[in-house]
């Protein structure tokens, strides 16, 4: 109790005590006087006085003892950050958005998987459990740590590597934490073999879903351990680095290792969240020769966990639910993006050969006019429709013309003509060769234009920092690689050359080599 309030309380008690003595003395004299002549009235007066005294004492106790406690409780409730409520609402809105996105996914298996995951996240939101996940290599002593925290044996603690092959979850209680706490022992990471890799994937998934992560090491932090720890912290996992098996080190070495660990994770994990424990100490031989098993020393970790869970528990739950819902939303967007890309690729593929057919029938006298002919306005409109962007044909023509000018300005048209002229290497008449090269070049340019527009619509109708020039240049580089050109030429021969020439047989590379 603050000193001013204590002084007021003491002075008040003194005054009240003095007044009570004076009042009792005066009332005693009054009662004696009245009781001699009017006994009933005297008794009634006595009852009223006692009731007034009780009310006065009750009001005094309420003001100085009960009311301050209520104010403290109210202040604690008001001090509780409302961030968790905001994040919870954000998670709920994200889940609603995910359901709307899922409705657009055509793959039934993927759609059902996302819906199932969204329902699971919603159930976690309603239950409000705090999930603590123990994570680390198979030899770091994760199971021993869980045993020590729970105070009972729950798994093997003598295996050199990988004793936990599946995740195990247990109920943990902390005084002052109202939510249910679940602690999960995960398989070890960095194990060899296919089975070890599969177990590591399970462990990483569990760690990603954790509210609080206990990353267990038994020595200095290796790079192979630091990388997954940093990755988990970067996605928002609240983490504690647990230095286990400290009983195996002399005091000086133990302090040196602890300081080194704190230095290695500086900027990733606060120093106070790096704690040293001995979850399963080695037996100690006494002078009498008797072996004694020391008690687990996990008190530093328990204290740190208690502080974190009491002060941050609500936010940990809200943060994790929000993170999971955001990751689910990202997964849904990736599926939708892949689905749209496949649909848009089909549009490009269709229009590139339409353009090739038109040019083959009516070849152009000037090569640079190929760009204007290749970029089809209707293709732009249909790609936009795939990405939910309704643009009219006039706007499509403007966009097509702009990109056609870019193709010419970058020298892509000329480069395409030269590239395909060499790649086709046809032994045909001059007129036929000219028509074939123009037609195949038109298909190729249509492809580059279409791929460029796909990138434009994928990024919400934005060409990016480098503008249209950079996007077109990148698509040209991607589509001039040998493996693509080879497949493209073979398709061009089937779709353009053979229809123009009638079944023309082209010598294979082997036949060309053996010709004299």
């Amino acid at each position: 109790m603050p000193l001013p309030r204590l002084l007021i309380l003491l002075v008040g008690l003194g005054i009240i005590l003095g007044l009570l003595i004076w009042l009792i003395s005066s009332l005693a004299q009054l009662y004696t006087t009245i009781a001699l002549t009017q006994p009933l009235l005297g008794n009634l007066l006595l009852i009223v006085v006692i009731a007034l005294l009780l009310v006065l004492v009750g009001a005094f106790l309420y003001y100085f003892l009960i009311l301050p406690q209520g104010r403290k409780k109210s202040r604690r409730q008001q001090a509780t950050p409302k961030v968790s409520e905001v994040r919870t609402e954000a998670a709920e809105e994200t889940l609603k958005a995910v359901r709307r996105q899922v409705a657009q996914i055509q793959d039934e298996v993927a759609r059902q998987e996302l819906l199932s995951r969204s329902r699971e996240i919603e159930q976690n939101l309603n239950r409000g459990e705090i999930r603590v996940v123990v994570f680390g290599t198979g030899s770091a002593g994760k199971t021993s740590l869980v045993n020590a925290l729970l105070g009972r044996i729950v798994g093997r603690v003598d295996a050199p590597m990988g004793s936990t092959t599946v995740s195990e979850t247990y109920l943990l209680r902390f005084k002052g934490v109202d939510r249910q706490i679940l602690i999960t022992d995960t398989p070890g990471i960095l194990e060899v073999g296919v089975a070890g890799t599969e177990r590591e994937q399970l462990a990483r998934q569990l760690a990603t879903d954790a509210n609080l992560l206990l990353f267990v090491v038994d020595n200095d932090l290796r790079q192979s351990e630091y990388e997954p720890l940093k990755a988990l912290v970067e996605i928002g996992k609240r983490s504690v680095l647990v230095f286990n098996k400290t009983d195996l080190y002399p005091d000086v070495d133990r302090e040196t290792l602890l300081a080194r660990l704190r230095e290695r994770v500086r900027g990733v994990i606060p120093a106070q969240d790096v704690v040293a424990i001995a979850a399963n100490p080695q037996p100690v031989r006494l002078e009498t020769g008797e072996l004694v098993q020391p008690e687990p020393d996990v008190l530093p970790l328990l204290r740190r966990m208690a502080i974190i869970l009491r002060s941050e528990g609500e936010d940990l739950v809200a943060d994790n639910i929000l993170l999971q819902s955001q990751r689910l939303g990202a997964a849904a967007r990736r599926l939708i993006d892949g689905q749209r890309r496949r649909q848009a690729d089909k549009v490009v593929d269709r229009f590139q050969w339409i353009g090739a057919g038109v040019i083959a029938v009516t070849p152009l006298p000037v090569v640079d006019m190929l760009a204007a002919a290749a970029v089809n306005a209707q293709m732009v409109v249909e790609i936009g429709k795939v990405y939910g962007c309704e643009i009219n044909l006039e706007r499509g023509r403007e966009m097509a013309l702009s990109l056609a000018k870019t193709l010419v300005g970058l020298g892509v048209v000329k480069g395409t003509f030269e590239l395909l002229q060499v790649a086709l290497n046809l032994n045909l008449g001059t007129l036929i060769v000219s028509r074939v090269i123009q037609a195949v070049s038109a298909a190729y340019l249509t492809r580059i234009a279409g791929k460029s527009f796909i990138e434009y619509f994928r990024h919400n109708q934005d060409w990016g920092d480098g503008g249209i020039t950079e996007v077109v240049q990148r698509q040209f580089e991607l589509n001039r690689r040998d493996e693509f050109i080879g497949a493209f030429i073979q398709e061009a021969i089937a779709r353009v050359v053979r229809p123009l020439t009638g079944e023309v047989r082209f010598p294979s590379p082997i036949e060309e080599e053996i010709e004299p």
Side-chain angles (χ1 to χ4, degrees):
M1 181 179 293
L3 183 60
R5 183 176 289 276
L6 182 61
L7 292 175
I8 293 173
L9 179 61
L10 293 175
V11 172
L13 286 173
I15 293 173
I16 290 175
L17 183 61
L19 289 173
L20 284 175
I21 294 173
W22 172 80
L23 185 61
I24 291 172
S25 176
S26 300
L27 289 175
Q29 293 178 3
L30 180 62
Y31 175 75
T32 303
T33 303
I34 295 176
L36 292 175
T37 56
Q38 298 288 337
L40 183 60
L41 183 60
N43 291 334
L44 182 61
L45 178 63
L46 181 61
I47 293 171
V48 171
V49 169
I50 292 173
L52 288 173
L53 287 174
L54 290 174
V55 170
L56 181 62
V57 171
F60 181 81
L61 292 175
Y62 174 77
Y63 179 77
F64 283 100
L65 298 178
I66 299 175
L67 186 60
Q69 295 298 324
R71 286 175 178 171
K72 287 181 181 179
K73 184 176 180 181
S74 175
R75 280 197 297 269
R76 283 198 302 268
Q77 292 175 345
Q78 292 174 359
T80 301
K82 293 189 176 181
V83 177
S84 59
E85 296 178 9
V86 174
R87 290 169 180 161
T88 299
E89 291 174 1
E92 291 173 346
E93 290 302 317
T94 303
L95 287 174
K96 292 178 182 177
V98 167
R99 293 191 188 97
R100 290 193 295 269
Q101 291 172 332
V102 168
Q104 304 175 41
I105 297 174
Q106 297 174 351
D107 187 328
E108 181 65 23
V109 175
R111 184 167 67 249
Q112 291 303 321
E113 182 180 350
L114 288 176
L115 285 174
S116 175
R117 183 62 179 146
S118 69
R119 285 192 290 267
E120 182 181 340
I121 294 174
E122 193 169 24
Q123 289 171 0
N124 291 339
L125 178 63
N126 295 331
R127 287 196 300 264
E129 300 164 336
I130 297 177
R131 294 180 175 271
V132 179
V133 171
V134 184
F135 187 78
T137 63
S139 60
K142 303 187 307 298
T143 301
S144 298
L145 171 58
V146 175
N147 291 341
L149 292 177
L150 297 176
R152 57 192 174 92
I153 302 298
V154 295
R156 291 179 60 197
V157 295
D158 58 347
M161 182 70 97
S163 66
T164 303
T165 57
V166 294
S167 64
E168 299 288 349
T169 301
Y170 309 93
L171 184 62
L172 187 65
R173 299 188 183 279
F174 269 95
K175 186 177 180 181
V177 180
D178 296 332
R179 291 184 180 271
Q180 189 178 59
I181 304 171
L182 301 178
I183 184 166
T184 300
D185 183 14
T186 63
I189 62 173
L190 307 179
E191 296 180 12
V192 297
V194 176
T197 302
E198 292 175 351
R199 290 197 294 268
E200 178 170 343
Q201 290 175 349
L202 171 62
R204 287 175 181 263
Q205 181 59 51
L206 291 168
T208 302
D209 293 338
N211 300 110
L212 176 62
L213 183 69
L214 304 182
F215 197 104
V216 186
V217 296
D218 61 352
N219 205 316
D220 196 4
L221 192 65
R222 295 174 291 178
Q223 186 66 24
S224 57
E225 294 172 309
Y226 176 76
E227 289 175 357
L229 172 61
K230 184 182 179 185
L232 289 165
V233 172
E234 286 177 346
I235 65 170
K237 291 294 106 177
R238 184 68 168 89
S239 302
V240 175
L241 181 59
V242 182
F243 175 27
N244 192 17
K245 302 186 180 181
T246 56
D247 58 298
L248 301 179
Y249 300 94
D251 292 345
V252 175
D253 293 346
R254 180 168 60 248
E255 292 303 319
T256 301
L257 274 172
L258 184 60
R260 190 179 300 165
L261 284 170
R262 286 173 174 160
E263 178 63 25
R264 292 202 189 284
V265 297
R266 186 172 60 177
V268 178
I269 295 179
Q272 64 268 26
D273 288 338
V274 182
V275 297
I277 65 165
N280 184 33
Q282 296 295 307
V284 177
R285 189 176 296 276
L286 302 179
E287 294 180 357
T288 60
E290 180 185 0
L291 281 176
V292 177
Q293 179 64 50
E295 290 294 321
D297 179 19
V298 293
L299 189 58
L301 177 59
L302 285 170
R303 287 174 176 166
R304 190 61 197 150
M305 287 178 66
I307 291 173
I308 292 173
L309 294 177
R310 288 169 186 164
S311 62
E312 306 175 33
E314 297 301 312
D315 284 345
L316 290 179
V317 172
D319 283 345
N320 194 48
I321 293 295
L322 179 57
L323 174 63
Q324 290 184 43
S325 60
Q326 289 173 340
R327 291 178 66 239
L328 187 64
R333 287 192 295 274
R334 284 193 298 270
L335 285 171
I336 293 173
D337 181 61
Q339 176 180 294
R340 286 173 169 174
R341 182 182 282 274
R342 289 189 295 273
Q343 292 173 346
D345 283 343
K346 289 180 180 179
V347 172
V348 173
D349 187 69
R350 176 160 52 87
F351 275 95
Q352 73 181 14
W353 299 119
I354 289 175
V358 171
I359 299 298
V361 175
T362 56
L364 299 173
V366 182
V367 171
D368 283 356
M369 292 179 64
L370 279 172
V375 186
N376 191 298
Q378 185 61 37
M379 179 183 69
V380 180
V381 172
E382 291 192 23
I383 293 174
K385 189 177 296 184
V386 168
Y387 285 90
C389 303
E390 294 293 338
I391 59 175
N392 57 35
L393 195 58
E394 183 61 32
R395 174 59 180 158
R397 288 194 187 96
E398 293 175 4
M399 296 173 68
L401 180 60
S402 175
L403 196 137
K405 290 179 180 177
T406 303
L407 289 172
V408 175
L410 289 174
V412 173
V413 177
K414 184 177 180 181
T416 297
F417 196 82
E418 293 172 351
L419 175 69
L420 295 179
Q421 191 173 25
V422 173
L424 282 166
N425 191 23
L426 298 175
N427 185 20
L428 298 171
T430 303
L431 180 60
I432 295 294
V433 169
S434 176
R435 292 170 64 184
V436 166
I437 291 177
Q438 282 198 16
V440 176
S441 296
Y444 187 81
L445 292 170
T446 302
R447 179 180 182 82
I448 293 174
K451 292 289 188 178
S452 300
F453 279 118
I454 288 175
E455 292 302 309
Y456 171 76
F457 287 111
R458 278 187 68 228
H459 296 91
N460 298 317
Q461 302 183 66
D462 186 0
W463 289 113
D465 296 336
I468 187 174
T469 301
E470 184 177 306
V471 173
V472 171
Q473 188 68 47
R474 184 169 62 250
Q475 290 303 319
F476 181 55
E477 294 299 328
L478 289 173
N479 287 276
R480 66 183 299 176
R481 294 174 179 175
D482 292 342
E483 58 271 20
F484 169 75
I485 290 295
F488 180 80
I489 291 299
Q490 291 303 314
E491 190 170 4
I493 289 172
R495 289 177 174 267
V496 178
V497 178
R498 287 176 180 165
L500 276 176
T501 62
E503 276 298 316
V504 176
R505 182 177 176 275
F506 298 94
S508 68
I510 296 177
E511 291 173 330
E512 290 178 347
E513 289 178 4
I514 64 176
E515 283 180 358

